[in-house]
Amino acid sequence: QKEVEQNSGPLSVPEGAIASLNCTYSDRGSQSFFWYRQYSGKSPELIMSIYSNGDKEDGRFTAQLNKASQYVSLLIRDSQPSDSATYLCAVRTGANSKLTFGKGITLSVRP
Amino acid sequence: NAGVTQTPKFQVLKTGQSMTLQCAQDMNHNSMYWYRQDPGMGLRLIYYSASEGTTDKGEVPNGYNVSRLNKREFSLRLESAAPSQTSVYFCASSGLLAGGTDTQYFGPGTRLTVL
């Protein structure tokens, strides 16, 4: 069974710090990796996607992928209180567009 | 362009009642999905439809049925609601990102309580 694990959390960081969110996956055939942000009472929204080993940066967000270690992470620099949310890691395996989601990590940024 | 829309936003049912959750997307996506989200359980796939006319079971299909009415609409039906089906239900559709791969876009959700 394909699994996506997000074991660390909840996470609390002070405003301006770097928040590091981690995710591991079980299926070595996984091809695409996504981070969704979900505010309380709202639906998940896509914030980052990554497909190749290494880092991908978008503003204050950096996604990191290591396929050999089956590990994907999200770094949030200069964390803001508005970043307080649950972050869901999602993994796509195979030709169809189904995603497997982790259970999420709740981030709290303290002013 | 409304994206993915869901109705109703909130619903309270009594055990044994039936209801249909409606979902529509205006992005011309082929694939659509129904998830439930429970505290501590993450998003779990109930059913999905890879294209108009096809549906397949996901991780937790028991107690649910679906209909892919046309390319835009994908409905979820609870024939005899049970308290265990109290949850938040999200519909999603899958479309292309820049770079050629695709990902899922979510509707606002339906908050269902079964008493």
Side-chain angles (χ1 to χ4, degrees):
Chain A
Q1 184 173 347
K2 302 167 189 173
E3 294 183 347
V4 176
E5 299 285 345
Q6 294 181 260
N7 290 327
S8 59
L11 180 64
S12 180
V13 300
E15 185 173 355
I18 296 175
S20 178
L21 311 174
N22 304 318
C23 174
T24 59
Y25 59 95
S26 63
D27 191 334
R28 284 196 173 275
S30 299
Q31 300 165 343
S32 306
F33 307 86
F34 306 92
W35 284 99
Y36 284 79
R37 178 177 62 200
Q38 186 175 23
Y39 292 115
S40 181
K42 302 296 184 182
S43 58
E45 58 175 329
L46 179 70
I47 56 171
M48 289 289 289
S49 59
I50 187 166
Y51 317 118
S52 304
N53 279 331
D55 295 357
K56 179 182 177 182
E57 187 174 318
D58 184 359
R60 296 187 296 111
F61 298 97
T62 298
Q64 300 175 316
L65 175 61
N66 184 325
K67 289 186 178 180
S69 299
Q70 296 175 240
Y71 177 94
V72 57
S73 65
L74 180 70
L75 300 179
I76 306 174
R77 292 183 301 281
D78 187 25
S79 295
Q80 301 296 310
S82 59
D83 296 324
S84 297
T86 296
Y87 290 80
L88 302 168
C89 175
V91 176
R92 177 187 172 192
T93 304
N96 65 42
S97 54
K98 286 170 59 180
L99 298 177
T100 301
F101 286 85
K103 294 181 180 179
I105 301 172
T106 298
L107 171 66
S108 176
V109 181
R110 309 186 300 272
Chain B
N1 190 339
V4 180
T5 57
Q6 292 183 236
T7 55
K9 288 187 168 55
F10 300 93
Q11 184 70 50
V12 178
L13 294 178
K14 295 180 179 178
T15 297
Q17 287 185 318
S18 62
M19 78 161 297
T20 299
L21 282 64
Q22 306 287 352
C23 174
Q25 53 92 7
D26 62 1
M27 296 177 282
N28 201 34
H29 291 166
N30 286 320
S31 300
M32 298 185 72
Y33 310 82
W34 276 105
Y35 293 90
R36 61 178 290 173
Q37 187 175 41
D38 304 292
M41 299 298 292
L43 284 163
R44 293 184 292 170
L45 183 64
I46 304 172
Y47 271 93
Y48 69 101
S49 171
S51 62
E52 184 179 352
T54 68
T55 61
D56 285 289
K57 295 178 180 179
E59 181 184 354
V60 289
N62 291 343
Y64 305 95
N65 285 301
V66 291
S67 296
R68 183 74 183 268
L69 305 170
N70 47 55
K71 191 171 186 178
R72 290 187 64 248
E73 298 172 290
F74 189 36
S75 63
L76 178 71
R77 183 161 178 84
L78 286 70
E79 291 290 351
S80 179
S84 61
Q85 294 178 305
T86 294
S87 188
V88 180
Y89 291 85
F90 288 105
C91 178
S93 68
S94 181
L96 285 176
L97 291 171
T101 192
D102 57 26
T103 192
Q104 294 179 20
Y105 302 89
F106 287 82
T110 295
R111 283 145 185 83
L112 174 67
T113 301
V114 182
L115 301 175

